[in-house]
Amino acid sequence: MFLTIRGLLEERGVKTEDSAYRDCSDGLLDFKITTGDFYEMPYGDEGYLRFKNTADVMSFEQLAAVLEKMNGLRFNHREDFPYYCENIEIIKKALAEDPDSVCVEGGPCLFSDYEVMARIKLKDGEELLYDFTTGKRYKDGSETELDENPNPEFADFLAGRAEEIEDLNFYTVKPDITYQEYMHVLLPFVVADALDVPLVISLPDMSYRKELHSMTEHLEAEVRDKARDSFDSMLNYVTDMYLRLIERLNGILKIEKLTVFHSRDEAVMERFEEARRPYIERNKILRGLTDNMVRIEAIKDYISMPALPLYVYGSTTIIEVNSVIEIDSYRKCRKAHKGAATFCAILFSEMLSRDGENVNYTAPVEYKEYGHFRQEL
């Protein structure tokens, strides 16, 4: 079941014509929102909907009415979906008074469900196939049907039966970037271009690697090392897809100050690990992050990456341009860096895949719309 702005208003007893959205198009009012219903109306019936007590739901016109420079956004479908915004007035003030303090940060997940396979060969000859992202096992060792109730899931299998594993290798069936992933790169670019500020694009390959290293620590050394090499090869192949897209977009938009964060840029990686330590490695921040020790280091990365402009450029007004599903990481990052930087958000909705039922991240491969990018610039 999907949410819409119109439906959220009706459920709260608010007529669209009496709300802040009275002048919005039917397309926006009926846009299929895939988040959970974590909305409230803190400003009253004529105010904006607010998501997770953080971001106000706005049309592009409403956003640009406050932050006029957004009218220069070079993006053909900019009016088609809602934006989740926080501290827009602060961005406007910072651009007027101290533009050098402002920077945009954003970036994609590198791959999604059903795209990366882990093939396990046991010493007794049995072979198993897992989906790395969901952790679920494929039935009959083929890439056709997942066992919805695997026992155990991938990480638990590696930990529990490590001594039985003879070989583990990874490969991807991902042929290109999806439209949603394209948006994760395009929108930070066009916002930085419209506001004429620096940009940091985060490609979190190191986070996937940390998770994989944690999963494989119980394996025999030879098996472990070979598995990690296989994973690295797959990961570099996927990361290179994004690096080519970034190069192409910057050839058009020509962002003057651009940093692309990924593990093969060792200088930026070292700066990231060092600069985040006093903010993240504190009990106040680490407490309650997760009970899953396989994922703890990756989660530290995810709640640190929005602060990359602070680490790289010393920026103190940071605009997170990302999917709204990243709002929890954004809030945790904001909390960890309180007093060091002011965080602002222009978040966008997840798009439905071609099946009309799933977002691209969770859609089966045949519905992910690889490479079919609309003409956006």
Side-chain angles (χ1 to χ4, degrees), residues 279 307 309-310 314-318 333-334 337-344:
Y279 301 105
L310 174 65
S315 305
T316 53
T317 303
I318 298 171
C333 185
R334 182 185 61 186
H337 296 80
K338 186 177 181 180
T342 300
F343 287 80
C344 313

Side-chain angles (χ1 to χ4, degrees), residues 110-121 127-134 136-146 154 167-176 208 212 226-239 241 365 370:
L110 299 187
F111 50 79
S112 58
D113 292 357
Y114 319 122
E115 291 187 323
V116 173
M117 309 297 174
R119 188 174 294 282
I120 300 171
K121 182 177 180 180
E127 292 193 5
L128 305 169
L129 188 67
Y130 275 88
D131 175 62
F132 177 79
T133 305
T134 65
K136 295 177 180 178
R137 185 189 303 175
Y138 283 90
K139 293 181 179 179
D140 304 320
S142 66
E143 300 166 7
T144 54
E145 186 180 1
L146 283 172
F154 181 57
D167 187 59
L168 168 63
N169 68 82
F170 296 88
Y171 64 95
T172 182
V173 297
K174 182 180 182 67
D176 205 337
Y208 293 94
L212 186 278
K226 184 179 176 183
R228 291 176 178 179
D229 287 345
S230 170
F231 191 80
D232 282 351
S233 177
M234 178 279 299
L235 198 55
N236 289 342
Y237 170 79
V238 173
T239 303
M241 294 182 185
V365 167
Y370 292 108

